[in-house]
């Protein structure tokens, strides 16, 4: 129920516009709990979304105490502007018809066109896409670029599928999605299992259906509208964010032993940038386990890993066949490796639980930099905070990917392309600005050094104030 349910008229207070109300006699913490329960009652089975909502909601307590009208704004923000669910029929190589479910959640266009990736994975459902879309709204806000938030995808599993099957699936997916997107409406990008190949197939079908060439997708090939640094941006951006924190806190990154999870795009370029800063990335992983290089990866070893994952599309264990110094730990996570300074979870949500977090603390980790979206559970975050480990949250630390997507959109609009150095320099400036926004917001609202709260507060306030200015829409 809402805070105003069963309240007497004398207990309801409004802001100067009369649009936003709250209860005078009920503590803010209780009103927050009531709001969460109201939203939960609508979609009780959407656990990932509710986890993301709860984390943001309780981070905003200082904001709500300073100005309770923002409670009502968050209630509106937590409801997507539009949810699109559609059937995706396709035929496999045997000619048998298959059917998957497609999603696009257009969460918020307050700051610009909907912007966010597409994920193809069997775990995808509406709760997952809503969680990703809600996080995307705040992440895009932090970049300072004119982008709203959205997310999409399908429960299609590309593993084991032929190139022809993936082509047919992508064309069918876009045949249903194309009418809902556009360069000034909604600009999807890649996410898990949606890379350059899939973006190419999706773009080709969109162009075929619309009979026009525009910047409707980002992550495109350089030959037809893509941006330099876009493949690297999420990983590079996470390391730039960590570098800003390290400089601010007088922590040396050169020689720092780092744990990296994942072996996809974000993890690969996180390792690459760490090597460029002379840090020592020790691990990479996939769903089958992790590999450990006791002396750290080198550029040559990373090239071998990238060939295995990007060209051969093999498993992480295959890397041990080409690196005699590597050890493979089947079914395990990399967080048990000792004597480390940084952890970069770059795989998927909730990959670090409370037990994993305790291992990181025991093994000397001082900073967790989230390259993935919400990779730390609520229990893990509690462990970090109790031990004084800094958390660089995903909505801030991995915003480099969508930031360069925004730069790709700008280049498409201007019909131009920037050099690698220009894009990289813009990315560095954006990540520094995001870091500083988190630091400043945390300090202003009484939680100095808490980058999680700072990111949520800074991202929320820009969207919330814009929503207020745009009226009841």
């Amino acid at each position: 129920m809402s805070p105003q349910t069963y309240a007497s008229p004398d207990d309801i207070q409004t802001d100067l516009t009369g649009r936003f109300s709250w209860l005078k006699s009920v503590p803010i913490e209780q009103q927050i709990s009531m709001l969460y329960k109201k939203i939960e009652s609508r979609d009780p089975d959407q656990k990932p979304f509710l986890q993301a909502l709860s984390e943001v909601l309780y981070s905003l307590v200082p904001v709500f105490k300073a100005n309770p009208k923002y409670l009502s704004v968050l209630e509106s923000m937590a409801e997507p502007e539009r949810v699109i669910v559609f059937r995706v029929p396709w035929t496999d190589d045997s000619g048998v018809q298959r059917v998957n479910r497609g999603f696009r959640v257009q969460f918020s266009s307050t700051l610009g066109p909907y912007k966010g990736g597409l994920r193809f994975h069997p775990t995808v459902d509406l709760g997952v896409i809503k969680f990703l879309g809600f996080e995307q709204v705040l992440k895009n806000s932090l970049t300072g670029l004119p982008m709203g938030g959205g997310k999409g995808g399908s429960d299609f599993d590309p593993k084991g599928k032929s190139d022809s099957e993936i082509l047919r699936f992508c064309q069918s997916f876009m045949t249903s999605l194309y009418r809902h997107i556009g360069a000034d409406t909604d600009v999807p990008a890649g996410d898990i299992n949606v890379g350059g190949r899939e973006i190419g197939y999706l773009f080709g079908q969109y162009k075929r259906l619309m009979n026009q060439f525009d910047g409707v997708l980002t992550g495109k090939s350089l030959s037809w509208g893509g941006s330099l640094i876009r493949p690297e941006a999420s990983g590079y951006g996470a390391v730039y964010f960590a570098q800003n924190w390290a400089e601010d806190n007088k922590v040396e990154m050169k020689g720092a032993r780092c744990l990296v999870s994942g072996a996809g795009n974000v993890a690969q370029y996180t390792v690459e940038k760490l090597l460029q800063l002379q840090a020592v990335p020790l691990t990479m992983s996939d769903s089958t386990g992790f590999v450990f290089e006791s002396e750290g990866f080198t550029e040559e070893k990373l090239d071998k890993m990238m060939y295995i994952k990007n060209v051969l599309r093999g498993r992480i264990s295959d890397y041990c066949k080409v690196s005699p110094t590597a050890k493979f730990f089947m079914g395990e996570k990399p967080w048990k490796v000792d004597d480390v300074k940084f952890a970069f979870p770059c795989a998927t949500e909730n990959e670090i639980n409370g037990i994993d977090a305790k291992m990181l603390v025991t093994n000397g980790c001082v900073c967790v930099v989230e390259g993935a979206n919400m990779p730390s559970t609520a229990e893990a975050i509690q462990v970090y905070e109790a031990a004084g480990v800094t958390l660089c949250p995903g909505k801030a630390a991995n915003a480099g990917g969508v930031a360069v997507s925004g730069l790709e959109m700008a280049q498409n609009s201007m019909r131009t392309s920037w050099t690698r150095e220009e894009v990289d320099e813009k990315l560095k400036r954006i990540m520094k600005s995001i870091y500083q926004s988190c630091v400043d917001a945390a300090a202003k609202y009484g939680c100095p050094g808490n980058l999680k709260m700072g990111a949520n507060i800074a991202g929320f306030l820009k969207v919330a104030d814009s929503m207020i200015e745009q009226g009841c829409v």
Side-chain angles (χ1 to χ4, degrees):
M1 67 182 69
S2 68
Q4 287 75 30
T5 305
Y6 306 127
S8 69
D10 292 339
D11 197 30
I12 298 176
Q13 186 167 338
T14 63
D15 70 329
L16 293 176
T17 69
R19 283 169 55 197
F20 305 104
S21 61
W22 60 93
L23 300 178
K24 291 183 287 187
S25 64
V26 178
I28 286 295
E29 290 86 353
Q30 187 176 340
Q31 293 188 61
I32 290 171
S33 179
M34 294 163 71
L35 175 58
Y36 176 81
K37 288 177 181 177
K38 177 182 179 182
I39 296 171
E40 181 186 36
S41 68
R42 291 176 179 168
D43 302 296
D45 298 324
Q46 294 179 1
K47 302 302 183 186
F49 168 66
L50 293 171
Q51 179 185 342
L53 173 69
S54 176
E55 189 253 303
V56 171
L57 190 57
Y58 289 98
S59 289
L60 297 175
V61 170
V63 175
F64 298 144
K65 285 185 174 180
N67 197 333
K69 74 177 181 182
Y70 285 119
L71 268 169
S72 294
V73 182
L74 181 62
E75 181 176 1
S76 293
M77 190 187 298
E79 189 66 25
E81 292 178 10
R82 190 173 297 105
V83 174
I84 303 154
V85 183
F86 50 94
R87 180 177 63 204
V88 188
W90 57 283
T91 55
D92 65 20
D93 287 340
S94 301
V96 176
Q97 180 169 317
R98 308 289 185 184
V99 179
N100 287 93
R101 182 173 290 175
F103 302 90
R104 187 66 181 173
V105 173
Q106 296 176 329
F107 225 106
S108 172
S109 60
T110 300
L111 300 182
Y114 307 108
K115 185 78 191 80
L118 298 171
R119 174 178 295 190
F120 293 167
H121 197 273
T123 61
V124 165
D125 59 23
L126 187 55
V128 168
I129 299 300
K130 279 182 65 178
F131 133 60
L132 293 168
F134 182 67
E135 289 280 291
Q136 197 76 48
V137 173
L138 302 178
K139 181 188 300 186
N140 293 0
S141 170
L142 286 168
T143 68
L145 300 173
M147 299 182 293
K151 207 75 179 185
S154 173
D155 56 3
F156 172 75
D157 186 0
K159 284 188 171 59
K161 305 295 192 300
S162 71
D163 192 75
S164 296
E165 288 173 324
I166 290 172
L167 170 61
R168 289 193 292 272
F169 175 82
C170 287
Q171 289 181 331
S172 181
F173 184 89
M174 183 54 76
T175 299
S176 290
L177 184 63
Y178 83 97
R179 71 201 73 215
H180 303 290
I181 62 176
D184 296 315
T185 304
D186 184 352
V187 183
D191 194 79
I192 292 175
N193 290 329
V194 179
R197 174 182 59 173
E198 291 75 20
I199 291 294
Y201 294 159
L202 293 164
F203 183 83
Q205 184 71 353
Y206 176 86
K207 181 165 60 72
R208 178 187 189 187
L209 293 166
M210 293 295 291
N211 191 32
Q212 65 186 41
F213 189 111
D214 60 33
V216 70
L217 290 157
T218 57
K220 301 185 293 297
S221 167
L222 293 174
S223 303
W224 38 274
S227 175
L228 289 160
I229 302 290
R230 178 59 190 92
E232 299 93 333
S234 295
Y236 278 20
V239 179
Y240 289 149
F241 193 95
Q243 188 178 23
N244 281 302
W245 176 85
E247 290 173 357
D248 218 14
N249 291 273
K250 297 179 173 52
V251 175
E252 183 65 57
M253 288 203 73
K254 181 178 179 181
R257 288 163 58 87
C258 304
L259 302 181
V260 179
S261 68
N265 181 278
V266 181
Q268 291 171 14
Y269 289 110
T270 295
V271 170
E272 182 172 278
K273 183 54 66 174
L274 287 171
L275 289 171
Q276 291 173 12
L277 296 181
Q278 299 180 57
V280 185
L282 300 166
T283 61
M284 295 182 76
S285 69
D286 66 12
S287 59
T288 63
F290 78 93
V291 292
F292 172 56
E293 288 279 8
S294 60
E295 299 300 318
F297 279 86
T298 62
E299 290 183 5
E300 181 184 3
K301 290 176 178 178
L302 176 61
D303 286 343
K304 292 177 179 177
M305 177 67 79
M306 293 173 80
Y307 181 77
I308 289 168
K309 298 303 285 188
N310 301 344
V311 179
L312 301 180
R313 302 190 184 275
R315 307 306 296 176
I316 198 89
S317 55
D318 296 334
Y319 171 76
C320 293
K321 299 174 185 176
V322 297
S323 176
T325 58
K327 293 182 179 179
F328 174 62
F329 295 83
M330 183 180 292
E332 297 189 50
K333 304 177 188 178
W335 317 124
K336 70 176 190 177
V337 176
D338 61 4
D339 187 23
V340 299
K341 189 164 287 184
F342 290 89
F344 290 83
C346 299
T348 190
E349 57 266 17
N350 292 329
E351 58 175 298
I352 302 180
N353 59 33
I355 295 172
D356 300 323
K358 289 176 182 177
M359 282 194 288
L360 285 171
V361 171
T362 300
N363 293 332
C365 182
V366 298
C367 185
V368 176
V369 187
E370 296 186 331
N373 294 305
M374 203 171 71
S376 302
T377 66
E379 293 76 16
I381 293 172
Q382 290 172 1
V383 173
Y384 304 152
E385 291 177 348
V389 173
T390 297
L391 172 64
C392 300
K395 64 175 62 70
N398 75 18
V402 75
V404 175
S405 279
L407 299 179
E408 182 177 330
M409 292 165 66
Q411 292 169 81
N412 291 167
S413 295
M414 294 188 291
R415 296 293 194 269
T416 189
S417 59
W418 296 325
T419 66
R420 182 180 180 86
E421 292 73 22
E422 286 178 299
V423 178
D424 196 29
E425 187 57 38
K426 291 176 190 293
L427 173 60
K428 287 179 183 177
R429 288 203 301 268
I430 289 170
M431 297 311 299
K432 185 173 182 63
S433 174
I434 292 172
Y435 172 76
Q436 198 58 52
S437 295
C438 296
V439 170
D440 292 346
K444 180 178 178 180
Y445 283 91
C447 46
N450 190 324
L451 299 179
K452 174 177 73 77
M453 291 187 71
N456 287 332
I457 291 169
F460 168 77
L461 284 175
K462 182 177 181 182
V463 179
D465 289 337
S466 299
M467 289 177 70
I468 292 169
E469 292 168 359
Q470 292 175 21
C472 185
V473 295

